[in-house]
Amino acid sequence: MSRGRWRDMAAEELQQQYSPSRWARRLRGDAAVRAHIEAVTAGTQRARAGTRSSLHVPYGEADGERLDLYFPAEPSETFPAFVYIHGGYWQCLRGIYLCGHSAGAHLAAMVLCTDWTEFGVVPDIRGAVLVSGLYDLEPILHTYVNDALNMSWEVAQRNSPMLCITQAVPAAAACEVLVAVAQHDSPEFRRQSQEYSQALRSAGWSVSLLDLATVDHFDIIEKLSEDTYILIQVILNMIARG
């Protein structure tokens, strides 16, 4: 399915393609979203109970600009930072590893295409895990999602990772990118993941595509709380190589 294929879709089909809850295996609609929130909330509570943490650390002035920091159980002078960005259609010094889900994967991808020289810094981003993400925002303009976002075409173009991929410089080439997609994601989500990974590879980035069987848009990330989950193993191996 080519990048322009979505233009041929009827409005209802496009709405369905970009509504992950309609593709969930276990539940449908709002029930799938509620179950996902319950699952990730329970995982967060387990993490807080089992590790040392510093919660709601501000990184900006707005109420929503907060970070939750979790530290390893064993004291160490050096350890990698793993940054997770949650999804929700943007409404909801050590080596750094990014991980984003859905709209969070879009934000992590935007970090990869940022020209950091403008800010006088070169962050040591060694890996990025992009899970069931959106990399071309133009189709979103024609769905219910844009009712709240009110994006213009220009804003969608400027903020589409697919359209701002740069040729990998040595620092970027050393960053390992994993694009993961669920078997039961919608065809449009799957297409975007496949085409974005191909575009990164063509630009010289170190990238791999992981197509995860049996999972959908929600449990692909919920299962990160399971030690034996293949995506957890891939992430730990990535960090070990870095």
Side-chain angles (χ1 to χ4, degrees):
M1 189 181 289
S2 64
R3 179 172 176 257
R5 167 68 178 85
W6 64 267
R7 300 177 192 276
D8 299 326
M9 294 180 182
E12 175 56 33
E13 183 182 2
L14 195 62
Q15 297 277 9
Q16 180 166 331
Q17 289 287 330
Y18 287 95
S19 299
S21 59
R22 298 191 185 185
W23 298 82
R25 299 173 305 128
R26 300 159 297 166
L27 299 166
R28 289 288 190 272
D30 291 343
V33 176
R34 288 194 299 270
H36 176 64
I37 292 172
E38 290 173 2
V40 296
T41 299
T44 298
Q45 291 171 344
R46 288 194 298 272
R48 290 178 180 177
T51 61
R52 186 166 54 93
S53 62
S54 183
L55 306 178
H56 313 306
V57 178
Y59 63 87
E61 297 180 357
D63 288 342
E65 295 178 333
R66 299 288 186 270
L67 292 173
D68 290 341
L69 305 178
Y70 297 87
F71 303 97
E74 296 297 327
S76 173
E77 292 184 1
T78 60
F79 50 84
F82 186 80
V83 182
Y84 174 71
I85 307 173
H86 63 78
Y89 271 134
W90 310 280
Q91 301 169 64
C92 311
L93 195 76
R94 291 175 299 282
I96 297 173
Y97 295 84
L98 301 174
C99 180
H101 171 235
S102 195
H106 160 268
L107 294 175
M110 289 300 291
V111 172
L112 296 183
C113 64
T114 298
D115 182 3
W116 292 101
T117 58
E118 288 186 31
F119 306 96
V121 296
V122 183
D124 184 16
I125 302 176
R126 300 183 185 178
V129 181
L130 312 177
V131 184
S132 292
L134 290 154
Y135 312 105
D136 178 7
L137 301 189
E138 188 176 352
I140 296 297
L141 298 178
H142 309 278
T143 72
Y144 72 96
V145 177
N146 206 39
D147 293 345
L149 298 175
N150 197 29
M151 277 192 298
S152 66
W153 180 85
E154 291 77 14
V155 169
Q157 296 291 104
R158 186 170 66 248
N159 290 283
S160 289
M162 177 70 80
L163 302 181
C164 63
I165 294 173
T166 57
Q167 198 68 29
V169 296
C175 173
E176 188 176 350
V177 181
L178 172 66
V179 179
V181 66
Q183 177 185 355
H184 299 292
D185 264 319
S186 76
E188 272 290 286
F189 270 84
R190 290 176 58 80
R191 174 189 68 80
Q192 288 216 18
S193 291
Q194 292 160 358
E195 293 187 3
Y196 182 63
S197 63
Q198 291 168 0
L200 283 175
R201 189 175 297 110
S202 297
W205 289 74
S206 174
V207 58
S208 56
L209 176 66
L210 180 61
D211 196 335
L212 289 165
T214 74
V215 291
D216 60 30
H217 190 83
F218 301 101
D219 58 351
I220 189 175
I221 202 74
E222 293 168 14
K223 290 168 72 67
L224 284 180
S225 62
E226 301 175 8
D227 291 342
T228 58
Y229 183 39
I230 184 172
L231 186 54
I232 276 287
Q233 300 303 317
V234 171
I235 290 171
L236 292 177
N237 287 335
M238 173 190 288
I239 294 174
R241 287 193 296 272

